[in-house]
Amino acid sequence: MSTYIKSLSTTAGFLENSKVEFDQGLTCIIGARGTCKSTLIESIRFAFDTDPKTIKILTTQCEDEKDLRSGMLKSTLNAGSVRCEVEELTTLGKSLFVLEREIGSDARIFQDGVREHAVHNILHNIEIFSQGDLQRIAEKDNHDLRLGLIDRPNQAKIKSLREQREEKSQVLLKVGSTLRSLRVDISSLRDKIQPLNELKEQLKQAEASCPALSKELETNRILFEKRNRIIEILSGVLSLQGVAISNLQHTQNYISQLSTSSDLVEQEAQPEAEKAIKLTRHIESDLREIATIVAKLGSHDLQSAIQELKNIFEEKNEVFYQLRQEQQAVNESLKKQENLRRQVLLMEKLGKELENAQNQEAELLNQREYIRAEIAELDNQAYSLRLKEVEMINKEHGKRVYLTLQFDAGPTGYTARLSSMLGGSRVRAQDEVASDLAKTFPSAKLIDIVESGNGQLFADVLGRDIGQMNRVVAYLSDHSELYELEAIPPAMRLDITMYDDGQPKSVESLSVGQKATALLPLVLRPLPYPLLFDQPEDDLDNHFIIESLVEEIRELKLKRQLIFVTHNANIPVLGEADKIIVMSMENPTKANPPTGGSVDERKEDVLKLLEGGANAFKRRALKYQDLLSKS
């Protein structure tokens, strides 16, 4: 698939009468200063909604804004709209898109004349560099911008991986919060059942020391206990009924969704899908049966039946109560036994709750490990995509520029969050402790250690005081943001090394011109969508432009649409531009219709605007005559 910009026009503003049409190869836009060349590039950015942060600068007037583009489109577009015609070529044929947008609204997309209401990938199929962008990318802390350059060929995949990671991270956050709450319950239940063994022993002693019961009283006591057990069992059934209904009550929603999906597939009328459609209908039928069963479950009024049975049993128990009152000593012993037995039963019930909670904890821990593995796989996929691009660039440009992709435990992301979390503690050297922890323990491992309360492990590995590490563990274990640490993606950094006369130098240490030179291999790549560059020659010396840049441009324009604003004649002339567009102004707020043509057709404009005119060109040639004659 290849994407090309065919034209740009506006309904008002500086470019109202200046529809610009582009070639599929190299189009160079030239003109004097202040002839809307940069406005044209930024108008395309606006139509494609590329880089919302920059668009906000372009459309918002801010006197304090350091960026010279502040309010550019607000001033030059006025109340008009931008209209961009785009062609997309695929194996299935050609499609024509029209992008329209006004300030204050989202981009509207029309495909072959029909409005597209869903988000379309066409908005991502473009790459734009304004003046100074390469310098901003080369700055020391702009690793995200650098990664963005190597992510461009896989932008949709990287975005999808990022979204999947975010979804799974949110599930992981919920699992962590549930575990924390569940462990509080487990701790409470353990405390509550501590006296169980002691109570059992007391009950055993009470039963052994109980005076002999009359045969009639013993018979009624046995019946009394049986009745109590029946009520207890039935109460458990009532609880299970409620849980079952609660777990299955959303079945009807699934039926509706499944039915709609099956209908949609059937409407496509593809015979290959017949087997799958039959299975979905079977699933739908089974779910309807489950929904019917749920309705039946709810219709059984077990609670009323249990209450009725309690009343009946209570009447029958009167005989036992009367006999027990008649035998005072026995009565006191039986009351004590009954009280102890009641407490034992209650604690055994709590013991069951504890067992269930521990089983739930084990299930959540397994679920967490599974999600962690899924997230790790997503991170590995993103890393592999990036590494592949890095290796391709290094293979082609490794003698001049070399890229290194690595994980970064620097002052952003995980480290910064951990440092912020420790800010409220009384731990000394908090930033240093946070940095050591982040560099040594991945977030998942750190959380596991905090949950286990194992401050000793931190102390042993980091060589720190055990008291300090125990305070860290205690503080983090109760911190509300603990489980958010796992949602932070691993930080990656792209280091760029340029070989200057054979000596490797980091991009941060280079001169302004060398920085731009080092980043060009990341920009000038054969990708299937347009590359727009406002003055790529900025900060580059002419020798490099002639020896390297124009040669790369000549090759690249055969594989990718290039639209360059330039003041350097070497780019359109030696780069063999397929089209040159000459911009000029009718008045300070209105551009003339542009003039377009080949290099031969527009060479007079190139000579005048980019070479300073014929006289200047001749005078330079005269000055260099002796040098030229020697070469």
Side-chain angles (χ1 to χ4, degrees):
M1 181 184 71
S2 297
T3 304
Y4 304 97
I5 301 174
K6 291 175 64 66
S7 68
L8 176 94
S9 59
T10 68
T11 60
F14 287 22
L15 295 173
E16 182 177 2
N17 300 318
S18 304
K19 182 176 181 178
V20 182
E21 296 180 338
F22 306 98
D23 191 87
Q24 289 189 2
L26 171 62
T27 299
C28 286
I29 304 166
I30 67 173
R33 303 286 179 182
T35 52
C36 292
K37 302 183 299 298
S38 293
T39 298
L40 193 154
I41 296 294
E42 300 305 343
S43 295
I44 295 174
R45 180 195 297 279
F46 178 65
F48 275 83
D49 196 29
T50 301
D51 188 1
K53 183 178 179 180
T54 298
I55 289 174
K56 184 177 180 180
I57 293 171
L58 292 167
T59 56
T60 305
Q61 194 69 49
C62 179
E63 295 180 0
D64 297 331
E65 181 59 60
K66 295 180 181 179
D67 197 316
L68 296 178
R69 297 170 297 175
S70 175
M72 175 192 288
L73 288 184
K74 185 176 178 66
S75 301
T76 59
L77 184 59
N78 297 328
S81 61
V82 174
R83 188 176 192 273
C84 200
E85 293 182 330
V86 183
E87 189 174 82
E88 190 174 82
L89 300 179
T90 67
T91 54
L92 300 176
K94 178 168 50 177
S95 295
L96 181 65
F97 292 86
V98 174
L99 310 181
E100 292 182 354
R101 191 177 185 187
E102 302 88 24
I103 292 177
S105 70
D106 294 330
R108 297 184 298 280
I109 306 172
F110 298 86
Q111 181 176 0
D112 298 323
V114 179
R115 173 79 183 272
E116 290 279 335
H117 291 280
V119 177
H120 200 284
N121 285 335
I122 193 72
L123 293 179
H124 303 297
N125 292 345
I126 194 167
E127 192 168 13
I128 303 174
F129 292 91
S130 301
Q131 288 177 267
D133 277 354
L134 289 187
Q135 299 306 319
R136 282 187 282 273
I137 293 170
E139 293 301 321
K140 183 176 181 180
D141 296 326
N142 280 342
H143 288 283
D144 286 344
L145 294 178
R146 297 182 195 179
L147 289 170
L149 290 179
I150 62 170
D151 284 347
R152 286 295 299 165
N154 303 299
Q155 182 173 268
K157 291 181 181 178
I158 293 290
K159 181 183 178 185
S160 175
L161 291 172
R162 189 181 296 120
E163 290 172 348
Q164 291 179 62
R165 191 190 200 285
E166 178 61 28
E167 288 177 7
K168 294 186 184 300
S169 294
Q170 291 303 311
V171 176
L172 205 57
L173 179 60
K174 291 179 181 177
V175 169
S177 298
T178 303
L179 273 170
R180 171 179 275 165
S181 176
L182 187 63
R183 282 167 172 158
V184 171
D185 294 340
I186 288 173
S187 178
S188 176
L189 287 168
R190 281 177 177 154
D191 290 340
K192 288 178 180 178
I193 66 171
Q194 261 192 336
L196 178 59
N197 290 333
E198 183 181 347
L199 287 170
K200 283 183 176 180
E201 182 60 30
Q202 290 179 19
L203 177 59
K204 184 179 178 181
Q205 292 176 5
E207 288 174 339
S209 61
C210 180
L213 305 182
S214 68
K215 189 174 181 180
E216 184 180 11
L217 181 56
E218 176 63 15
T219 301
N220 278 277
R221 184 188 66 79
I222 293 171
L223 290 173
F224 171 78
E225 290 180 356
K226 284 182 178 180
R227 291 167 191 146
N228 284 346
R229 280 197 297 272
I230 289 171
I231 294 298
E232 183 181 349
I233 293 168
L234 289 174
S235 296
V237 174
L238 179 63
S239 177
L240 288 174
Q241 179 193 29
V243 171
I245 292 172
S246 175
N247 289 338
L248 298 172
Q249 64 183 356
H250 299 297
T251 304
Q252 194 62 46
N253 295 336
Y254 304 147
I255 294 171
S256 176
Q257 295 174 26
L258 187 61
S259 179
T260 300
S261 300
S262 299
D263 291 343
L264 289 173
V265 175
E266 284 186 343
Q267 288 171 14
E268 299 298 329
Q270 295 296 314
E272 297 85 356
E274 184 176 345
K275 181 179 179 181
I277 292 172
K278 284 183 179 179
L279 288 173
T280 60
R281 292 303 186 191
H282 282 312
I283 295 170
E284 181 184 343
S285 176
D286 291 343
L287 286 174
R288 291 188 186 280
E289 288 183 19
I290 293 172
T292 302
I293 292 171
V294 172
K296 288 182 179 178
L297 275 175
S299 68
H300 300 315
D301 190 3
L302 180 59
Q303 187 169 3
S304 296
I306 291 173
Q307 186 58 50
E308 183 179 338
L309 186 60
K310 280 182 178 179
N311 295 336
I312 293 171
F313 280 174
E314 194 60 29
E315 290 181 8
K316 291 181 176 292
N317 289 338
E318 284 297 328
V319 176
F320 173 65
Y321 298 148
Q322 184 65 37
L323 289 170
R324 196 172 63 180
Q325 286 294 331
E326 291 174 357
Q327 298 184 45
Q328 187 63 32
V330 172
N331 183 42
E332 292 301 323
S333 178
L334 290 177
K335 277 186 177 182
K336 181 178 180 180
Q337 290 178 49
E338 184 181 335
N339 183 41
L340 290 169
R341 196 172 288 112
R342 178 179 56 78
Q343 292 185 64
V344 168
L345 288 173
L346 176 61
M347 290 196 180
E348 287 178 341
K349 185 178 179 182
L350 292 176
K352 285 288 185 184
E353 290 182 20
L354 175 60
E355 183 181 346
N356 291 336
Q358 290 171 328
N359 289 337
Q360 187 181 351
E361 179 189 28
E363 290 175 4
L364 287 170
L365 288 172
N366 288 334
Q367 181 185 359
R368 184 164 74 177
E369 289 308 307
Y370 181 77
I371 298 171
R372 283 174 172 175
E374 288 185 314
I375 289 176
E377 175 58 26
L378 293 173
D379 290 339
N380 287 336
Q381 289 181 40
Y383 178 77
S384 297
L385 288 172
R386 287 168 168 165
L387 187 60
K388 183 179 178 181
E389 295 301 316
V390 166
E391 290 173 345
M392 288 173 60
I393 293 171
N394 285 341
K395 184 177 181 181
E396 186 173 353
H397 302 281
K399 292 182 179 180
R400 188 176 76 189
V401 174
Y402 193 83
L403 308 181
T404 306
L405 181 69
Q406 58 186 343
F407 288 101
D408 182 18
T412 58
Y414 176 34
T415 306
R417 175 64 70 87
L418 195 54
S419 180
S420 173
M421 289 169 61
L422 289 175
S425 71
R426 295 184 177 181
V427 175
R428 286 178 293 180
Q430 295 163 2
D431 291 345
E432 183 183 328
V433 170
S435 179
D436 286 350
L437 287 171
K439 288 177 182 177
T440 310
F441 301 98
S443 56
K445 182 64 176 176
L446 181 137
I447 287 172
D448 290 345
I449 295 171
V450 169
E451 287 178 339
S452 68
N454 192 356
Q456 184 67 55
L457 180 56
F458 283 159
D460 292 343
V461 174
L462 300 180
R464 288 187 171 273
D465 177 66
I466 180 62
Q468 182 190 47
M469 291 299 98
N470 281 336
R471 287 193 295 276
V472 168
V473 168
Y475 185 78
L476 289 178
S477 65
D478 292 328
H479 203 289
S480 61
E481 297 176 11
L482 175 65
Y483 296 106
E484 294 178 14
L485 290 174
E486 286 194 273
I488 301 171
M492 291 187 195
R493 59 182 293 132
L494 182 67
D495 291 326
I496 304 173
T497 301
M498 181 176 175
Y499 291 95
D500 183 18
D501 291 331
Q503 295 299 314
K505 295 181 179 180
S506 67
V507 70
E508 293 87 357
S509 67
L510 299 175
S511 68
V512 172
Q514 288 175 321
K515 285 180 179 178
T517 303
L519 288 171
L520 280 176
L522 281 71
V523 176
L524 301 177
R525 304 173 65 194
L527 302 177
Y529 44 76
L531 170 63
L532 282 66
F533 215 139
D534 194 348
Q535 301 181 45
E537 72 274 11
D538 273 5
D539 304 316
L540 298 176
D541 60 70
N542 262 328
H543 179 74
F544 176 80
I545 291 173
I546 292 171
E547 294 297 323
S548 298
L549 182 60
V550 293
E551 183 179 344
E552 290 184 37
I553 289 173
R554 280 199 303 268
E555 293 181 7
L556 188 61
K557 71 171 189 166
L558 302 175
K559 306 169 185 176
R560 183 179 191 183
Q561 184 183 35
L562 306 176
I563 300 173
F564 289 177
V565 171
T566 183
H567 291 282
N568 189 301
N570 293 309
I571 291 177
V573 177
L574 301 184
E576 299 175 2
D578 299 284
K579 186 173 186 177
I580 294 177
I581 295 171
V582 183
M583 301 293 293
S584 61
M585 300 299 289
E586 177 184 331
N587 59 55
T589 60
K590 190 72 66 177
N592 284 315
T595 305
S598 65
V599 173
D600 283 341
E601 291 168 335
R602 300 266 63 89
K603 60 186 177 184
E604 186 176 338
D605 293 305
V606 172
L607 184 63
K608 177 184 176 182
L609 293 168
L610 306 186
E611 301 283 13
N615 187 42
F617 194 82
K618 289 176 182 177
R619 290 171 65 183
R620 287 200 302 274
L622 187 61
K623 289 284 186 183
Y624 302 139
Q625 187 173 6
D626 58 333
L627 295 174
L628 294 172
S629 63
K630 295 177 183 178
S631 61

